[in-house]
Amino acid sequence: MSVALVRVSCAAGWFRDERVSRRLDGVLRYEDLEPCLAELLDRSALRHSARVAAVDRSGNALTYGQMWSAAARVAGGLLDQGVGPADRVVVHCPNGFRWLYAFLGVVLAGGVPVLPDPTCSDPELEWIAEDSGAVLTLDGQLPDGVAFLDEGAAPDELAVLYYVRKRGGGLHGVELTNENILSTIEAVVHAMDLTAEGARTVLTAPLSTAAGSAVQLLPTLAAGGTVVAAGARGVRVPWRHLRASFPAARCVRGWGVAETGGIGLLLPTDQRAAHPRSVGVPFGGMEVALLGPAADRGEGELLCRGPSVARRYWNDPEATA
């Protein structure tokens, strides 16, 4: 039986981005990215300090200045507890301001946030802390110290470690570098036109997932917009409830997993009626292909290549291969 490889192209030219170009390794990559996530968010926080960065489920608002100040104090507290550059720290808090402080605090301290699947049990959380080599778990009172901002990391250094469920059971960590995360941010900001002042994003997924943090939260913060909480840890809000609560919001359809940086395919809002069964086309430098004997008929294994695609699984060479 022959095996075919069929590349899926975006003939319509949707989401075309001139800032991506093919490098020597054959991968499309963004030009002129910030060196690391901390520097990108620091610039945004300083530029938009008086703007509202987040609104919680009770309607309480948090400005960029308040958010950054609180996160920097958490970073200082982490430094006091011995957390150093590249140290892994598990962030296990409900969606809300405290999650933001914890996650951003780890980033500002130069550490690597370890984000567990929101459905993890207590024994699984203990295993994640051990497997990741985490030096600390943030799930209660957050550290507090003198405001601190690490000098930054390199694009190819680990930025976030997402723990996701394997197809056959169990968990493993997905390594996303600074380049991976920054590429996802650039792709979403461009495709969703988040550059307009007043952009607001409803958080429809737990922040511990790539969909919640890499796709919804971080691009909005990078663009100076506002994120609005709609669910707690482990809770996905039904679409009918979201549509009723936010009738004027754009409802975006797409596909992505942690291994692809949370992104992969996206359908333009004005194409939903014409393509009711589609999850979209590649964007953000992503290239996809189908592999298998029925690939030419649209059935097969989906292969992805792009600047946001993870380089490997943490401590799992067999799955990486």
Side-chain angles (χ1 to χ4, degrees), residues 190-260:
H190 175 74
M192 296 303 300
D193 190 24
L194 295 181
T195 56
E197 184 174 347
R200 294 168 67 87
T201 300
V202 179
L203 296 174
T204 61
L207 288 170
S208 60
T209 65
S213 50
V215 178
Q216 297 179 0
L217 171 70
L218 295 177
T220 306
L221 295 183
T226 302
V227 290
V228 181
R233 180 176 61 203
V235 176
R236 292 185 181 274
V237 183
W239 278 109
R240 64 181 183 277
H241 294 168
L242 289 171
R243 297 300 293 169
S245 300
F246 305 95
R250 286 182 294 169
C251 182
V252 180
R253 182 185 298 158
W255 172 88
V257 291
E259 288 87 341
T260 60

Side-chain angles (χ1 to χ4, degrees), residues 1 9 11 18 37 47 49 58 61 67 75-76 94 99 114 118 146 181 183 185 200 209 219 224 247 251 273 303:
M1 179 182 296
S9 63
E18 301 298 333
L37 178 61
R47 186 182 305 119
S49 61
S58 299
M67 177 185 71
W99 191 98
V114 177
V146 177
I181 289 289
S183 296
I185 291 172
R200 294 168 67 87
T209 65
C251 182
L303 307 180

Side-chain angles (χ1 to χ4, degrees), residues 16-318:
R16 186 179 300 279
D17 196 336
E18 301 298 333
R19 295 171 301 164
V20 294
S21 60
R22 198 172 302 280
R23 303 295 176 84
L24 293 177
D25 60 2
V27 178
L28 292 171
R29 299 185 185 279
Y30 278 93
E31 303 283 353
D32 302 323
L33 289 174
E34 294 283 354
C36 64
L37 178 61
E39 290 196 27
L40 174 68
L41 295 179
D42 184 50
R43 291 179 187 274
S44 181
L46 292 175
R47 186 182 305 119
H48 309 298
S49 61
R51 285 191 191 175
V52 174
V55 178
D56 67 13
R57 299 177 68 197
S58 299
N60 300 308
L62 181 73
T63 68
Y64 277 84
Q66 292 169 331
M67 177 185 71
W68 212 236
S69 176
R73 292 198 307 272
V74 172
L78 290 170
L79 186 68
D80 292 340
Q81 295 191 25
V83 175
D87 281 346
R88 275 82 61 201
V89 178
V90 177
V91 176
H92 184 60
C93 303
N95 274 16
F97 294 165
R98 196 156 59 90
W99 191 98
L100 286 177
Y101 302 153
F103 175 85
L104 295 175
V106 176
V107 171
L108 294 186
V112 176
V114 177
L115 305 182
D117 183 275
T119 64
C120 283
S121 63
D122 288 342
E124 287 175 325
L125 288 170
E126 293 178 3
W127 179 86
I128 287 173
E130 180 180 355
D131 182 71
S132 65
V135 299
L136 191 66
T137 294
L138 299 179
D139 58 359
Q141 184 70 29
L142 298 180
D144 192 7
V146 177
F148 177 77
L149 171 60
D150 184 72
E151 293 182 354
D156 62 347
E157 292 181 348
L158 183 61
V160 184
L161 189 56
Y162 289 99
Y163 272 82
V164 300
R165 296 202 176 276
K166 298 181 182 181
R167 181 179 301 177
L171 296 153
H172 55 186
V174 177
E175 297 185 22
L176 293 185
T177 65
N178 280 290
E179 183 188 10
N180 293 149
I181 289 289
L182 294 172
S183 296
T184 290
I185 291 172
E186 290 293 329
V188 174
V189 169
H190 175 74
M192 296 303 300
D193 190 24
L194 295 181
T195 56
E197 184 174 347
R200 294 168 67 87
T201 300
V202 179
L203 296 174
T204 61
L207 288 170
S208 60
T209 65
S213 50
V215 178
Q216 297 179 0
L217 171 70
L218 295 177
T220 306
L221 295 183
T226 302
V227 290
V228 181
R233 180 176 61 203
V235 176
R236 292 185 181 274
V237 183
W239 278 109
R240 64 181 183 277
H241 294 168
L242 289 171
R243 297 300 293 169
S245 300
F246 305 95
R250 286 182 294 169
C251 182
V252 180
R253 182 185 298 158
W255 172 88
V257 291
E259 288 87 341
T260 60
I263 64 172
L265 305 175
L266 186 67
L267 185 68
T269 306
D270 60 2
Q271 296 294 324
R272 287 174 59 88
H275 304 278
R277 299 180 61 186
S278 174
V279 291
V281 296
F283 74 109
M286 190 71 69
E287 297 176 287
V288 301
L290 285 175
L291 176 66
D296 57 349
R297 299 196 301 273
E299 299 177 8
E301 180 183 2
L302 184 64
L303 307 180
C304 300
R305 178 176 69 175
S308 61
V309 175
R311 58 186 179 182
R312 59 176 174 254
Y313 291 104
W314 179 269
N315 283 344
D316 196 346
E318 182 177 348

